[in-house]
Amino acid sequence: VEEPLLPLARRIVNALDGEMVLIKDGDRSIYHAGACVACNYLVSLIHFGQRFYQALGISDDLALKAFWPLIMGTLANIERKSTAAALTGPIARGDLGTLKKHLSALDARLPELAHLYRELAKYTVKVAREKGTINLKQEELLNELLSEQQKIV
């Protein structure tokens, strides 16, 4: 927004009960990339989850129906708490046993999906540390398990 238009922009944002954020010209690509990750990649992530169910012979529609309460509950938790505080699951618990089972099954049945699963899991380990539900030793053990060289078959 050009400087002379800022007061008008503020009035419009306030009228809509929004929050105004000013982004520098040089930062617009990072801002847009963040929005793409939060929105477009969420679609890709749900599609990724459907691929697991496809391997079991479950249709995309039925998979989405099965995921939907989990997705909506997660979004509600994120809105109420924060992203890190909303994290649940085996990584948030430091549950190596469950993660080993996931990796073994993926390496054996869906090897083409295993790399992306591992990469997302590594990022999730960082979120779990931020949440404070795993300690440094658990973080190291999880990352070691998730390394590509540690294929479990």
Side-chain angles (χ1 to χ4, degrees):
V1 175
E2 300 295 322
E3 188 68 35
L5 297 176
L6 278 176
L8 175 60
R10 278 195 177 87
R11 284 197 305 274
I12 292 170
V13 169
N14 289 337
L16 296 171
D17 290 325
E19 292 189 40
M20 188 152 170
V21 177
L22 298 177
I23 307 297
K24 297 177 195 166
D25 284 345
D27 292 340
R28 287 185 182 167
S29 291
I30 294 295
Y31 174 83
H32 188 249
C36 285
V37 168
C39 297
N40 306 142
Y41 294 177
L42 176 58
V43 171
S44 296
L45 189 59
I46 293 167
H47 186 272
F48 180 60
Q50 286 174 311
R51 295 276 313 273
F52 292 63
Y53 281 42
Q54 285 173 358
L56 302 173
I58 298 170
S59 73
D60 287 347
D61 289 344
L62 188 53
L64 186 58
K65 193 174 185 177
F67 294 156
W68 200 248
L70 296 170
I71 294 166
M72 296 308 292
T74 300
L75 291 174
N77 284 338
I78 291 169
E79 184 179 32
R80 256 192 356 265
K81 303 174 185 181
S82 71
T83 49
L87 183 66
T88 62
I91 292 174
R93 295 189 305 271
D95 183 350
L96 286 164
T98 296
L99 202 53
K100 283 179 186 179
K101 289 177 185 176
H102 290 183
L103 295 171
S104 179
L106 286 170
D107 288 341
R109 295 203 43 204
L110 297 166
E112 71 279 9
L113 302 182
H115 175 75
L116 180 55
Y117 181 93
R118 280 181 165 82
E119 291 304 311
L120 289 168
K122 287 177 195 175
Y123 191 89
T124 303
V125 169
K126 294 175 188 177
V127 178
R129 276 290 282 160
E130 182 181 324
K131 182 179 182 181
T133 56
I134 63 170
N135 59 37
L136 182 59
K137 182 63 176 168
Q138 290 170 305
E139 178 183 19
E140 290 169 355
L141 291 170
L142 287 164
N143 282 325
E144 181 182 329
L145 176 63
L146 293 165
S147 73
E148 284 294 331
Q149 296 78 26
Q150 277 293 118
K151 294 228 174 169
I152 301 174
V153 182

